[in-house]
Structures are given as structure tokens and as C-alpha cells.
Amino acid sequence: MPSERGLSQPPGPEWETVCRVCGYDDGVEPFWETGRPNEGAICPCCGNEPSMSDVSVMGLRNLRGYWLGQGACWDSPSSRPKDWDILEQVKRIPAEWR
Ligand SMILES: [Zn+2]
């Protein structure tokens, strides 16, 4: 059955399609649903897989700092937009996870 939830249910506070680590957002696949990590939804950008350990801002900062320190490599390089702008992307990290 094709998924239509992305269209019928716009993202809300309980529906996060933004990666808490790097700010990547495809607007479709949620990393978090109703406060639970969508396990298996690996971020194509930073490679983070949401888990219950991602509820700590300090933990997220560690992950983000490590990712940036390694050169902010894409986990899935083929998903990287040609005009990718890391600064534009990190601006989309929700304020509470910065
Ligand atoms: Zn990410």
C-alpha cells in the first residue's frame, strides 16, 4: 500500500522530518514520530539513525561536532544536491536541538 501519510498528515511537532544532527530534511520520511525515533530511517546526509539517545542536546552536539569534524561527509553521497549548502542546512536544525 503506498504511503500517503506524508501528504495527508503535514509535519507537526510530533512529526519530525528534520534530522536533529545535521538539519537534513526531505520533507517526507520522518526521523521522529509521536516522540519516538523512527528506527531504520538513517539520515542520508550525516548517517545518524534516530534513537532514544538523541533526546539529549549535548549528545546531539557531540554527534554533530564529530560529523563536522570529519568534513561533513554525506553518508549517501548520491543524495547530495549539487548546490548543497551546509550552512543553509544546519539553519534548519530545530532550535531546541542546536
Ligand atoms: Zn543528519
Side-chain angles (χ1 to χ4, degrees):
M1 196 175 107
S3 169
E4 53 185 320
R5 59 190 183 181
L7 297 170
S8 56
Q9 270 183 291
E14 301 295 305
W15 185 269
E16 288 182 40
T17 57
V18 181
C19 176
R20 292 181 181 183
V21 175
C22 71
Y24 174 84
D25 182 8
D26 70 3
V28 179
E29 179 158 34
F31 289 110
W32 289 79
E33 278 180 73
T34 60
R36 290 167 166 275
N38 181 11
E39 281 162 29
I42 295 172
C43 177
C45 183
C46 69
N48 188 54
E49 184 175 349
S51 73
M52 287 315 286
S53 61
D54 294 347
V55 296
S56 147
V57 174
M58 289 312 292
L60 289 164
R61 286 178 183 167
N62 276 338
L63 291 169
R64 192 178 303 130
Y66 181 79
W67 173 66
L68 289 168
Q70 298 294 310
C73 295
W74 277 67
D75 188 60
S76 173
S78 59
S79 301
R80 186 185 191 275
K82 278 202 177 77
D83 57 353
W84 184 57
D85 185 333
I86 186 173
L87 294 179
E88 283 302 314
Q89 180 172 297
V90 295
K91 278 188 208 163
R92 288 190 225 127
I93 298 169
E96 63 265 45
W97 305 118
R98 285 177 189 165

